[in-house]
Amino acid sequence: MLPTLLSWLGGALAVLFVILLAYVGYRYWYHMGRLPKPPSRSIRNKPMPATWRDEEVTFTWVGHSTILINLFGTKILTDPVLGEKLGLRIAGIHFGPKRYTPPALSSAEIGDVDIILISHAHMDNVDLPSLRELARPSIHVITAKNTSRLIARMPFGSYEEIAPHETVRTASGVKITAIPVRHWGNRFPWNKDYGYNGYIIEKNGVRILYPGDTAYTSFEELPRAFGSIDIAFMPIGAYKPDAYQAAHCTPEQAWEMFKQSGAKWFVPIHWNTFVLSQEPVEEPIQRLLAAAGDEKDRIVIEEQGETFVLPVS
């Protein structure tokens, strides 16, 4: 009797699994069918980080939320995502978006960095294959609360977690403070304890705002809390349908947050790499430029691979 019951239960669970897989597949393909389908693009600007001077602040937009920064000789890489695809493979089927604009730099071209800065654990911010390629004993990783287990077995030299309003200082003289943003951290539905951060990065009097992903939130307190901010890397994509604005700001909101922060230069990120939402792929930059109006010359990078050197004040 018992073997028969166990066999029946096993068969029922198998059927339920197949039904669940079919439902997930249906929802995924229905969602994907409503998204733009841009053709593959090429990189028109090739960064040369080996030529950057350690006496300056230089950076390039590698793609999506990945930025390579040389901050007075300290090399920082944010949310490294260098792979062709995001997501998972289940039963031989890939679930997740494919990159339509390649990264401006490969992991080999990025080379050794001092700090990897992770804002939260979403798959378009924590790409495990990319992190494995980059992992070296010389790298220190700073990440959000309860997310370091994703990298704990990789050969990084050290890592630490911080929560909003906490600060770390590195041996190279960089001060990094986590700031609160409006987003969420789950990688899967059960990762409810994963944290999420924005960051203020400081060295030698230069301050950089890297909010990661965020819905609209006021940044009016930042200049009072930290002083003048030089560069703001602001996300501008993934805001349609409107429900997505609970976690992602619009280009107009990004510009308003930039103005509130008092930053001098604006660098748009989190667009033109993966199709994650329903807005046309060129719309974010068009709306941003319209919102900036006569101040659009403060937007210093518009394409992956462009390089900017902070002017000496």
Side-chain angles (χ1 to χ4, degrees), residues 214-217 234-258 266 269 279 283-285 287-288 291:
T214 184
Y216 174 77
T217 185
M234 298 295 298
I236 65 167
Y239 51 82
K240 284 187 178 179
D242 288 352
Y244 281 27
Q245 293 170 31
H248 297 107
C249 58
T250 66
E252 295 82 4
Q253 291 169 337
W255 182 257
E256 183 178 351
M257 292 157 64
F258 162 72
F266 185 113
I269 61 170
E279 72 268 7
E283 183 181 280
I285 193 66
R287 287 176 56 170
L288 176 65

Side-chain angles (χ1 to χ4, degrees), residues 1 8 13 20 31 34 87 90 102 107 110 116 124 129 154 169 196 198 227 282 286 290-291 302-303:
M1 181 68 179
W8 182 86
L13 288 173
L20 178 61
H31 171 72
R34 299 171 66 87
I90 302 175
S107 59
I110 289 170
I116 288 179
D124 61 326
M154 297 181 191
R169 299 174 188 271
Y196 49 96
E282 294 291 348
Q286 293 167 351
E302 295 183 27
E303 295 186 10

Side-chain angles (χ1 to χ4, degrees), residues 212-228:
D213 289 2
T214 184
Y216 174 77
T217 185
S218 175
F219 283 163
E220 290 180 347
E221 290 297 320
L222 293 183
R224 288 191 283 270
F226 295 96
S228 61

